[in-house]
């Protein structure tokens, strides 16, 4: 039992454990109210069911339908392009683990997708076939492992 003697929000005076009489709905509402008190502006958006991070859109509201997968050697991102005009203004950038698509379908739009593996800095290629833009990025095989030298074992 805990050393302090106050009642938790869902504890009966006769129960031994503060969590024994807690149901899921009570816990959810208590947790949401505590998080809103902690940081009202930021946590209110996190607690929403369909939350998307800033500067990020889901496929349903973006017009871009992406599919991200990996093979043994590459990471592929496929996007259905509804209008060819998107390609004229679209910009593609990537980091070691993210793909950033900007200026499509609207000029102010930007999407960031996390890639399933670490990728190389160079060697990405984009191809368009039947209104599907396919981006192939080679995986990085450099895991940047470094050996840690162990101290010598002294003889007893």
């Amino acid at each position: 039992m805990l050393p302090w003697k106050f009642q938790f929000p869902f504890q009966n005076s006769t129960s031994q454990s503060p969590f024994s009489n807690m149901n899921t709905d009570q816990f959810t509402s208590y947790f949401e109210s505590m998080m809103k008190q902690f940081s009202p502006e930021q946590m209110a958006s996190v607690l929403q069911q369909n939350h998307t991070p800033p500067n990020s859109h889901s496929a349903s509201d973006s017009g871009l339908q992406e599919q991200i997968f990996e093979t043994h050697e590459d990471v592929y991102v496929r996007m259905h392009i509804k209008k060819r005009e998107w390609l004229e203004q679209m910009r593609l950038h990537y980091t070691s683990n993210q793909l950033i698509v900007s200026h499509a379908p609207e000029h102010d739009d930007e999407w960031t997708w996390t890639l399933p593996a670490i990728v190389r800095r160079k060697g990405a290629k984009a191809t368009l076939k039947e209104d599907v833009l396919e981006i192939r990025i080679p995986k990085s095989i450099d895991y940047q492992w470094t050996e840690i030298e162990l101290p010598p074992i002294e003889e007893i």
Side-chain angles (χ1 to χ4, degrees):
M1 190 69 185
L2 300 172
W4 49 84
K5 293 187 177 196
F6 63 87
Q7 295 292 313
F8 282 94
F10 312 110
Q11 181 180 8
N12 290 338
S13 59
T14 58
S15 74
Q16 296 292 348
S17 171
F19 304 107
S20 63
N21 291 329
M22 185 183 309
N23 81 24
T24 307
D25 294 334
Q26 288 175 325
F27 177 77
T28 302
S29 65
Y30 175 72
F31 178 76
E32 287 177 357
S33 68
M34 294 305 288
M35 294 307 285
K36 285 178 185 176
Q37 290 174 6
F38 175 69
S39 176
E41 300 84 26
Q42 296 169 350
M43 294 312 293
S45 64
V46 171
L47 293 173
Q48 293 174 356
Q49 291 287 0
N50 296 325
H51 173 69
T52 54
N55 296 330
S56 177
H57 303 284
S58 66
S60 62
D61 63 355
S62 70
L64 294 177
Q65 299 172 355
E66 85 281 354
Q67 179 185 15
I68 302 172
F69 61 94
E70 64 180 310
T71 63
H72 291 292
E73 296 178 358
D74 301 307
V75 172
Y76 288 89
V77 179
R78 290 183 179 160
M79 292 181 280
H80 181 71
I81 305 297
K82 292 182 181 178
K83 298 179 182 176
R84 296 271 177 154
E85 295 84 33
W86 292 359
L87 295 173
E88 295 173 9
Q89 63 185 13
M90 180 185 288
R91 298 290 178 256
L92 301 172
H93 306 278
Y94 69 96
T95 65
S96 62
N97 69 338
Q98 292 181 332
L99 175 69
I100 300 104
V101 178
S102 56
H103 305 306
E106 300 297 325
H107 186 71
D108 295 335
D109 291 342
E110 182 175 291
W111 292 270
T112 303
W113 294 306
T114 302
L115 300 174
I118 302 297
V119 294
R120 290 187 196 165
R121 188 172 186 170
K122 299 211 179 227
K125 294 187 181 185
T127 57
L128 182 68
K129 193 183 282 186
E130 297 177 2
D131 294 333
V132 174
L133 179 66
E134 180 179 89
I135 303 159
R136 182 186 62 84
I137 310 171
K139 283 185 176 180
S140 176
I141 56 173
D142 180 18
Y143 295 110
Q144 298 188 11
W145 288 359
T146 304
E147 183 178 358
I148 301 171
E149 192 172 318
L150 297 172
I153 299 174
E154 298 179 21
E155 294 183 29
I156 302 179

